[in-house]
Amino acid sequence: IYTCAQLDKVREYPDKSFLQIRNLDLNGYVSSNCDSTNGWLPIGCSNTQIFSGVYDGGGKTISNLKISREGLTECGLFGSVDSVDGSIPEIRNLTLANCNINIGGVENSASCLAGAFYNGNMTNCHLLSSVLNTEAICVGGLIGDTWGTHVTSCSVDLEITGDDTCGGLIGYCENCEINECHAKINLNCGVQAGGLIGYFSNSSVQSSSVSGEVYGGMNTGGFVAYMADNATVTDSSAKVNVYSEDDSVSGFVGVLE
């Protein structure tokens, strides 16, 4: 991938593998899938276009991703990523910088990188100086909703404003392994606000950290908002100011079930 136009074409080959070989700036890029008003249309934004391949960022950066749309099911650079016919989807070695996601009416999940990511791997992906403002149900800096995924050596630096189940890294996380991931956040979420992860079930986190501020209502935690079903956290830390008027609030885990 050498140009923004080639990045845009990834959506037409959702089961293939790609290598980015140049930094890309989406500011001013216009196509049938991207304009100055609505911004970027997510890759894999419907059940018929799920991305099931591999995107290797090659250690390069994509800058100035903007999304300002209504009626999306999943929102991010990639909308929906999942295994198809036994494939193991992967996004790796990619940095997003200066993302501005401002959307309402999303039915399911939203992030800057992948709205929904299932049964795959995300490795060495980073988010810098970004803003995510959404009414989606599951909201995270890198992944909104995930199941069966390994997330390794990833980091985020962003502001998030959401309504329900928000995490600096991941909004909703089930049956996953998270290793060596870090978040610097300013997060404001109505229900289930977590510095790293919003809802965390049957999963593990190791050697990860959070710093910043978290504002929330019911189920608010500096590291995880709601932790259930034998989920574990080891060798991890939260240096977070947590603000909530609800009783289910903690500097580390808001609710442990």
Side-chain angles (χ1 to χ4, degrees):
I1 303 298
Y2 187 75
T3 67
C4 293
Q6 289 175 339
L7 176 65
D8 202 354
K9 286 282 188 179
V10 168
R11 69 185 75 246
E12 298 179 14
Y13 307 93
D15 60 342
K16 306 303 181 184
S17 295
F18 301 89
L19 174 64
Q20 184 175 325
I21 58 174
R22 183 188 184 194
N23 293 332
L24 302 177
D25 189 346
L26 288 169
N27 187 33
Y29 175 69
V30 177
S31 76
S32 59
N33 299 307
C34 186
D35 60 64
S36 60
T37 301
N38 299 302
W40 181 259
L41 181 68
I43 296 168
C45 63
S46 71
N47 289 333
T48 60
Q49 293 183 324
I50 292 171
F51 183 78
S52 59
V54 174
Y55 192 92
D56 188 335
K60 305 300 182 182
T61 298
I62 297 174
S63 301
N64 296 308
L65 171 69
K66 172 188 173 183
I67 303 176
S68 182
R69 293 175 179 267
E70 301 286 336
L72 296 173
T73 304
E74 294 91 15
C75 176
L77 177 69
F78 292 83
S80 183
V81 180
D82 198 356
S83 172
V84 174
D85 295 330
S87 68
I88 302 177
E90 184 170 6
I91 302 175
R92 61 184 184 234
N93 306 324
L94 177 64
T95 296
L96 299 182
N98 301 317
C99 298
N100 192 331
I101 315 296
N102 193 342
I103 50 175
V106 176
E107 296 178 14
N108 187 12
S109 52
S111 79
C112 294
L113 183 51
F117 196 115
Y118 306 124
N119 304 302
N121 300 307
M122 181 177 288
T123 306
N124 193 31
C125 291
H126 307 283
L127 180 63
L128 304 175
S129 303
S130 296
V131 176
L132 175 56
N133 183 1
T134 176
E135 298 173 1
I137 297 172
C138 303
V139 182
L142 285 183
I143 304 174
D145 179 17
T146 188
W147 192 97
T149 298
H150 292 74
V151 182
T152 306
S153 300
C154 294
S155 67
V156 298
D157 178 358
L158 82 161
E159 297 181 8
I160 295 180
T161 303
D163 288 348
D164 193 343
T165 313
C166 301
L169 187 77
I170 299 170
Y172 185 100
C173 180
E174 190 169 357
N175 295 316
C176 296
E177 294 184 9
I178 316 297
N179 295 294
E180 298 181 348
C181 291
H182 308 282
K184 180 181 179 182
I185 48 92
N186 186 313
L187 187 151
N188 193 324
C189 179
V191 178
Q192 280 187 179
L196 193 76
I197 301 169
Y199 181 87
F200 186 54
S201 172
N202 197 30
S203 301
S204 65
V205 171
Q206 295 184 10
S207 305
S208 298
S209 67
V210 185
S211 63
E213 297 187 336
V214 174
Y215 302 82
M218 182 174 65
N219 305 345
T220 295
F223 196 86
V224 173
Y226 194 103
M227 185 166 159
D229 298 328
N230 300 313
T232 61
V233 177
T234 57
D235 298 326
S236 298
S237 64
K239 296 181 179 179
V240 181
N241 295 320
V242 179
Y243 305 91
S244 176
E245 295 181 357
D246 194 83
D247 292 335
S248 53
V249 58
S250 167
F252 202 76
V253 177
V255 173
L256 177 60
E257 186 178 83

